[in-house]
Amino acid sequence: GVSVVGLDLRYRQGTLSAAGGAEQHKLVEGQALLGLRFGPWLTLEAGPHVRAYVTPAGTERWVLWEGQVRAAAQVIRPGGWVYLRVGRVLTADIPGMAFDHGQGADAGLELRLGGTPLWGHVGYWVHRASASGALRVETVQGMSLGVALRRGETP
């Protein structure tokens, strides 16, 4: 059965370079995932993912609704876990374009900081979305560092 219901909130920002690197835009993302954990190693998650591209012409916002599966394994006792999260975009609102498809992945290491409820995180993520018959394809990727507040012995 389901052992835990959780909420995962994420924020990312950075610079997006076009193919060839000539043009750069600021990128800001926010995500909220509601998760159902089935034991310490398997979690199903779903929720909105909002992406904003800031260009000289203005801000373009994409709203993506995603479903994800997260698998984790303990590699360091007592509190070191590796994880892999893969997901698909279920539907999206992209201004002026018809959504085609999207997917992403996130992998990393989470460490519980002593006996505290604090967890440190380091990882790598990649996300790809396509719109208007692949007329526009966006692939974003990056490293992530973070700290989370959690109850319990597992992330």
Side-chain angles (χ1 to χ4, degrees):
V2 176
S3 62
V4 175
V5 175
L7 180 64
D8 186 0
L9 302 174
R10 299 182 200 161
Y11 173 83
R12 298 178 178 133
Q13 68 180 36
T15 303
L16 180 66
S17 299
E23 189 178 356
Q24 293 191 339
H25 304 291
K26 291 190 185 294
L27 171 72
V28 177
E29 292 190 328
Q31 191 170 24
L33 294 170
L34 183 62
L36 300 175
R37 186 181 307 175
F38 298 88
W41 65 274
L42 180 65
T43 305
L44 301 179
E45 302 169 310
H49 179 168
V50 179
R51 178 178 294 157
Y53 299 98
V54 182
T55 69
T59 302
E60 180 180 322
R61 288 180 183 83
W62 293 20
V63 179
L64 313 163
W65 287 87
E66 298 181 338
Q68 300 183 356
V69 176
R70 180 183 186 275
Q74 190 171 30
V75 293
I76 302 170
R77 296 207 183 271
W81 292 73
V82 293
Y83 71 91
L84 173 64
R85 178 185 283 122
V86 294
R88 300 265 317 160
V89 179
L90 306 172
T91 186
D93 179 17
I94 302 172
M97 290 178 270
F99 171 70
D100 295 332
H101 62 274
Q103 61 274 337
D106 178 10
L109 173 67
E110 294 181 313
L111 296 171
R112 185 169 183 199
L113 305 176
T116 73
L118 291 175
W119 289 76
H121 159 90
V122 62
Y124 173 79
W125 60 275
V126 61
H127 192 272
R128 182 180 178 105
S130 174
S132 295
L135 182 64
R136 174 125 178 228
V137 177
E138 296 286 348
T139 301
V140 292
Q141 61 185 338
M143 296 294 297
S144 59
L145 296 171
V147 176
L149 180 64
R150 296 192 183 113
R151 291 182 8 201
E153 301 292 320
T154 61

